[in-house]
Each structure stands twice: as structure tokens, then as C-alpha cells.
Amino acid sequence: IFPLERMTVEIKKLAEYKCDTNEAICLKLVRFPEDIEDDGTTFHPEYSHQIFGDDEVAFGYKGLQIQLFYSAGNLSTLFKVKYSSKVTETFDCVEPDDVEGKIREIVPAGFTCNTDDFISLLEKDANFKPFGTLLHTYTVHNEEAGELTYQIHKADITCPGFQEYHERLQTFLMWFIETASFIDADDDRWDFFLVFEKYNKDGETLYATVGYMTVYNYYVYPDKTRPRVSQMLILPPFQGEGHGAQLLEAVHRFYCSLPKVQDITAEDPSENYVKLRDYVLVKLCQGLPSFAADKLHLGFSADMIKEAQDKLKINKKHARRVYEILRLRATDMSDEEKAREYRLEVKKRLFGPYRKNQRELAKMRKCLRPEELVSHMGQMDTQTQHEELEKSYQVVVEDYRRIIERLASQA
């Protein structure tokens, strides 16, 4: 047994062999061989807990670097693990984490660990063409490169080579979506929407993967479907350029063209997705007659619900948010009476969950003992409800203002 001091020194030394896996994992989308050594093209995960545990730490290495480099188009993969020293070289009976094994669990077979082999695969990207049907083309102005052209394609599992490509593409989910999981792409109810950038290399037109969305088509009795967005990811090098809005709008327009679609929803949407959806749906709805400025002050109407549903496959809940955003845009909030009317209109909707709590409390009175009832009533204090409602209202209006500003900047 070590003396206490010696144990403390040993523990400190072992702590030096801990690495933050979000920093250690180096991701790249490679277009040219020189990108491989260029640190400027590297990006890192937001999350690695699904692979390395809640602490997002790998033990057993100093200077750990986990390289996952992908060719920009076909996503051919280079996988390397580098480190300056390993714990087993210094300490007996201490095992390092099996970093390579953990990564192999999510990266599909077919990757290479050899840089020269990867460069050969990179050359084959010249033959890569986007999968599926072209839905939409758009351009984005880039200060360095000028006008860049992007394409959105719809693919499914029957496209030759797509299944293998999708297996490589979905590995990015683990690093950028907190609760991500891989999907069973064999199910023919899945639709895939892919975004690609067109670029030139040695006089040839090539395509780089920008992002994608998966949508599952649920059956709705008797003869409709309800497409539900499952996952959506724009890869970090392309974020903040408006691709998410372009993708969501293209997907919405595609499903609006199908008579069998009832409405379009999303599975467990993140806050960012809700904001993006609000922006896209407002953009689509602002031209509908029922959402005209002179109708908005009359309140949320059955005409709005019907027109949003029939023309744009938007359900009542989402149509209500669109109405609130457009009404805010059309309201002079410096006019106290108009501002008050708007505030009451939004708070009436936000109060729904509190009303539900009151109904639940009435049921509880019949079956709870007095001391249990007191504890539940304490949670529903009226003053607290009003404060929470005001907080919720302020957050909602702040989000709505950002959407209105974004619409104004795109006009």
C-alpha cells in the first residue's frame, strides 16, 4: 500500500491522462488534399457523451487526437487515433480507454486509416453525384467566394449507393444532436432530403455535402399520411448561412404538393428547430388572404386554421403561432390599448397549461389527504402563476421579434 503522499502524487499524474473528448475529436470535410493538414478546416463536436459517457472524457492518453476526416461529397472516411503518450507506458496495471473501439461502434466499415489511401478515395469524389430528385436550387453570397450554388435533393433507400452513404452521414448526428439515434433506413416510409454545394476543382463541377433531414411518413386513417421530421442537421462549416430555412421550406413545399398529406409535424423538436419552423411558416403564410394585416386584429379565426391546413399542411397549433407573429408585426406596440389587447391574446394561449393544472387540482381534492393537497396547492400559487405567465410572454415576444427582424432583412 502506498503512503498517502505518494498516492496523491500518483493520482495527480494519472489526472494528466484525461482528455476532453469534444476537443480531442477532430472532424473535417475534405475537398483538396491540402485540407488534411490545414487546421482551419477542422471542427469539433458539441457532444460526445453518447460515446464517451456524461463526463465526455477519455482516460489514458496525453495529447489525444481522434481524427475523423470525410471526403466532402461521398463522405469516404479517414480514421486515425494519435497521442503523445499512453498511460500503460508509465504506470503498471492501469488500462487506457478503448478509444478506437468506441469510435468503431458508430463509424461504418469501409473507412481507411491510411492518409495515402484516403487521398485516392478523395480523387473519386469527382465521380460523386447527388442522390435522388432535385427539388430546389438556390444561391448564397459568400464574401470570399462570391455566389455559391446549392441544391436540395429528395432521396430514398432505393437510390443505388445511398444506404452506405447515409450510414456515413448519420455518424455526424452523434456529435451534434444531444439525443441522437441512428434510424432503420430500410423502412420505406423514410424520406431523406439532402443539401449539396456545387464547387469547382480542376475545372470540374463537384458536390459537397452540406446537411440533411430525415422524415417519417405516418399513416393517418383512412387515406392520409402525416410526415414527421425526425432529424435535421446542417454541418458546422455551413451553419449560419440560411441553409436550414432553405431546406425546411423546400421540404414543406414538397409535401404541400401531395394531396394525401394531412399536415407536417416534428418529433421532439429542439428550441432552435421551433424558431426555424416559425420563421419558415410565417414566410409561407404571410401571403395568404386569411392572414392579411386587416384580419389579424380581429383575432385567430377558423379561416386561418382552414387555409393554413388546406394550402400549406400546417396544423392548428402552428397556425396559431404564425398568427401571433404576424399580429405582432402589424401591431403598434407603442399604443397602450393595442399592446394590451395583443398581450392578453398571447397570454390567453399561454394560460392553457395553468388552466389544466386547476382542473387537475379539482380532481385531486376528491382523492388526496389534506396534507398532500396543501403541498400540491403550494405549487400552484396564483401570484407565482402570474409571474411565470409574464416571464413566458416576454420570452415568446422576444423570439417573435427576432423572426420579424429576420423577415425584414430578407425582404
Side-chain angles (χ1 to χ4, degrees), residues 25-181:
I25 296 163
C26 298
L27 304 166
K28 248 185 225 291
L29 292 166
V30 180
R31 301 187 184 196
F32 307 98
E34 51 269 31
D35 293 344
I36 295 169
E37 299 301 327
D38 179 3
D39 289 342
T41 61
T42 302
F43 55 100
H44 301 276
E46 284 180 39
Y47 309 104
S48 53
H49 61 91
Q50 296 214 58
I51 314 302
F52 292 101
D54 290 345
D55 292 341
E56 298 183 320
V57 162
F59 171 73
Y61 308 87
K62 274 187 186 177
L64 178 65
Q65 195 180 84
I66 302 162
Q67 295 181 340
L68 275 170
F69 297 171
Y70 297 80
S71 65
N74 197 40
L75 304 179
S76 303
T77 313
L78 172 67
F79 170 41
K80 280 186 174 183
V81 176
K82 295 180 170 183
Y83 48 86
S84 54
S85 69
K86 198 173 177 178
V87 74
T88 45
E89 294 156 8
T90 314
F91 299 87
D92 294 329
C93 307
V94 180
E95 285 297 314
D97 290 344
D98 180 11
V99 167
E100 196 165 316
K102 287 175 190 281
I103 298 289
R104 281 173 181 266
E105 284 177 21
I106 64 153
V107 177
F111 60 82
T112 179
C113 299
N114 181 287
T115 304
D116 290 338
D117 291 346
F118 178 68
I119 289 170
S120 299
L121 291 169
L122 188 59
E123 287 166 7
K124 292 179 183 172
D125 250 25
N127 304 319
F128 173 77
K129 295 288 179 281
F131 298 96
T133 313
L134 175 63
L135 289 186
H136 179 54
T137 301
Y138 62 98
T139 58
V140 171
H141 182 76
N142 180 287
E143 283 189 16
E144 289 174 23
E147 291 291 309
L148 296 174
T149 302
Y150 296 86
Q151 294 184 346
I152 297 172
H153 288 246
K154 178 189 174 287
D156 58 48
I157 213 63
T158 61
C159 299
F162 177 71
Q163 185 156 5
E164 294 78 10
Y165 167 84
H166 175 258
E167 283 175 6
R168 296 189 290 276
L169 177 57
Q170 71 176 350
T171 59
F172 285 104
L173 296 176
M174 288 295 158
W175 313 127
F176 297 104
I177 296 179
E178 195 170 4
T179 55
S181 57

Side-chain angles (χ1 to χ4, degrees), residues 210-278:
V210 170
Y212 81 121
M213 179 190 281
T214 58
V215 180
Y216 194 78
N217 292 285
Y218 283 90
Y219 168 69
V220 178
Y221 181 84
D223 62 347
K224 298 274 188 185
T225 62
R226 173 172 284 130
R228 183 185 287 176
V229 176
S230 174
Q231 294 152 329
M232 178 179 180
L233 176 65
I234 301 299
L235 294 168
F238 304 96
Q239 287 174 5
E241 297 175 354
H243 301 294
Q246 290 280 357
L247 175 56
L248 190 53
E249 186 173 342
V251 168
H252 228 92
R253 289 189 185 281
F254 168 75
Y255 286 120
C256 286
S257 69
L258 305 179
K260 294 279 185 187
V261 169
Q262 179 155 310
D263 56 22
I264 303 156
T265 62
E267 181 186 335
D268 192 19
S270 67
E271 239 178 83
N272 285 339
Y273 179 84
V274 170
K275 289 172 186 174
L276 181 67
R277 179 175 64 196
D278 283 345

